Amino acid sequence: MNSPLCELLHIRYPVLQGGMAWISDGKLAAAVSEGGGLGIISAMNAGADYLKEQIRLARSLTDRPFGVNVMLMSPHAEEVAQAVIDEKVPVVTTGAGSPAKFLPAWKAAGITVLPVVASVASAVMAERAGADAVIAEGQESGGHIGELTTMALVPQVCDAVKVPVLAAGGIADGRGMAAAFMLGACGIQMGTRFLVATECGVHQNYKDMVLRATDVSTTTTGRRFGGNTCRCLKNPFSRHFLQVEYQPETTAEDVADLGVGALRLAAVEGDTKNGSFLAGQISGLVRKEQPAAEILREVCEQCDALLTGSRGKD
Amino acid sequence: MVLEKVQEMLAEKLGVPAEEITAESEFSALGLDSLDFAEMLMNVETEFGVSIEADPSIKTVGSLVEKIEELQKKGS
C-alpha cells in the first residue's frame, strides 16, 4: 500500500499495533512486524530491564523494524527513555502526556517519534516539539482515552498539523481503515484486533471476553475526576469501580487506588471477576483469533478494495 | 425452565455465578444499564422465540420470566 508512513517507518502496511500494557510484548510486536506492519512493545510501568529483555526477544524473532511505546506517566519513564536510545529502537510512540522533554534526545539518536494525541492542541504541541507524525486516538479506544471520537478528532488534527497523521480508536477492519484515509489519515493503529492475535500471549480468558463482546460491552471508568478515563469491558470489576466512583464521599485518591493491579489480574491471571479488561468499542467486530500477518493482510486488502472502488467483503 | 435459562444468560453476560441471580433480582441492581438491558431483551427474544415490547414494568428477573411465559402461552 502506498502511504508516506510506509516510507517513514520502512514497513509494508501502514498499520501500527497499539502499545498495550501487560499485553504488547516482544513476541506480539515481532509477529506484527514480520507480517508487514509495525509492532510495538509496551514499556508500561516497568523498568528498563524488562524493556531490554522484550527488545531482545523481538530481535530474536524478526529482522524488521519495531517500536516501543513509552508511557510518560510511568515512574520509570526516564530510564525507559534512555533505554530506547541505548537499544537503538527505530520508532517510539508515546502515551499519557507530552513527550517534549525527551524529544531532543530521541531525535538526536535518529529515532522516529509518534506521540499519541487526543486533541488538536496536543497534536500541534507534539509537532512543534519535533514529532515525525502523530497518532490521533479517539475515545473508542480501549485503555486511557480522551473525550473526542475518532470521526471528529482525525480531520481536525489533519487540518492543524503538517506531519502525517495516523488514526486510532474504533478501527478493526478494512472499512475502518478506509474511513481513516478518507478523514485524512495516512495510516492506522489497532489495539483490540491484535489483542486476539495468535501470537499475543495475553490470558485466554481475556481473548475470549473480547471475542464474545458486543457493541455495548465496554464502559468507561475514571471519568468523574477527569484525566484518567479508561475504557474496559463490563465485568464485576468495572461495575464495582463505577459504583464506588459515583458515591458522593468518594475522592480522587480512592478512585486511583481502585485500579491498582487490576490490569495484571486481567492480562496475566485471566481473573474475569477482579481484573480490568481494557478493550475498544470495536471489540464487537472482533470475532476470531488469527495470526497477526493474516489480520494485516485481511484488513489492508479490504481497505484497498474499498478505496479502489470495488466493495470489500463484509 | 425459563427462569433457569434467563439466570444462565445473565450470569454469562455479567460474569457472575448464576446463584447470585434470583427471581427477585432487579436488573439495575445487577449492574445492567439500559444498553445492556436492550441487548438482553434481543437475546431473550431469539432464545425463546417471542417478541417483547420494552415495558417499564419489567424491573426484576422474575417479571421478565413471567412475561416470557405469558407470551409463550399465547404463541402456542
Side-chain angles (χ1 to χ4, degrees), chain A residues 7 38 42 44-45 61 68 105 107-108 122 131 133 145 169 189 230 235 238 258 293 301:
Chain A
E7 284 163 43
L38 190 83
S42 169
M44 52 182 197
N45 267 326
L61 297 168
V68 166
K107 295 311 297 169
S122 46
I145 51 170
Q189 175 169 283
C230 204
N235 72 339
S238 74
L258 275 175
E301 278 174 7

Side-chain angles (χ1 to χ4, degrees), chain A residues 212 214-216 234 236 239, chain B residues 12 14-15 30-31 33 36 39:
Chain A
R212 272 204 307 265
T214 67
D215 58 334
V216 297
K234 292 174 185 169
R239 281 188 291 273
Chain B
E12 154 99 25
L14 294 165
L30 288 172
D33 63 28
D36 294 325
E39 184 183 72

Side-chain angles (χ1 to χ4, degrees), chain A residues 49-157:
Chain A
D49 289 346
Y50 167 82
L51 178 61
K52 286 181 179 174
E53 191 185 300
Q54 294 303 319
I55 289 171
R56 270 172 220 138
L57 171 62
R59 288 211 164 117
S60 73
L61 297 168
T62 185
D63 294 327
R64 301 204 184 174
F66 57 85
V68 166
N69 177 255
V70 178
M71 238 249 304
L72 297 162
M73 281 192 319
S74 161
H76 304 286
E78 296 270 351
E79 57 173 288
V80 162
Q82 185 57 44
V84 296
I85 295 172
D86 297 343
E87 293 290 326
K88 299 186 167 49
V89 172
V91 182
V92 164
T93 65
T94 63
S98 165
K101 184 175 157 192
F102 301 119
L103 258 156
W106 285 340
K107 295 311 297 169
I111 297 173
T112 302
V113 185
L114 295 80
V116 173
V117 298
S119 73
V120 166
S122 46
V124 169
M125 280 194 285
E127 178 180 51
R128 207 183 293 158
D132 298 276
V134 293
I135 304 168
E137 187 185 74
Q139 61 108 359
E140 295 93 322
S141 301
H144 286 101
I145 51 170
E147 287 293 332
L148 287 156
T149 59
T150 302
M151 181 74 101
L153 176 68
V154 173
Q156 295 188 71
V157 168

Side-chain angles (χ1 to χ4, degrees), chain A residues 172-185:
Chain A
D173 69 2
R175 292 172 297 182
M177 185 174 181
F181 281 123
M182 291 292 129
L183 296 174

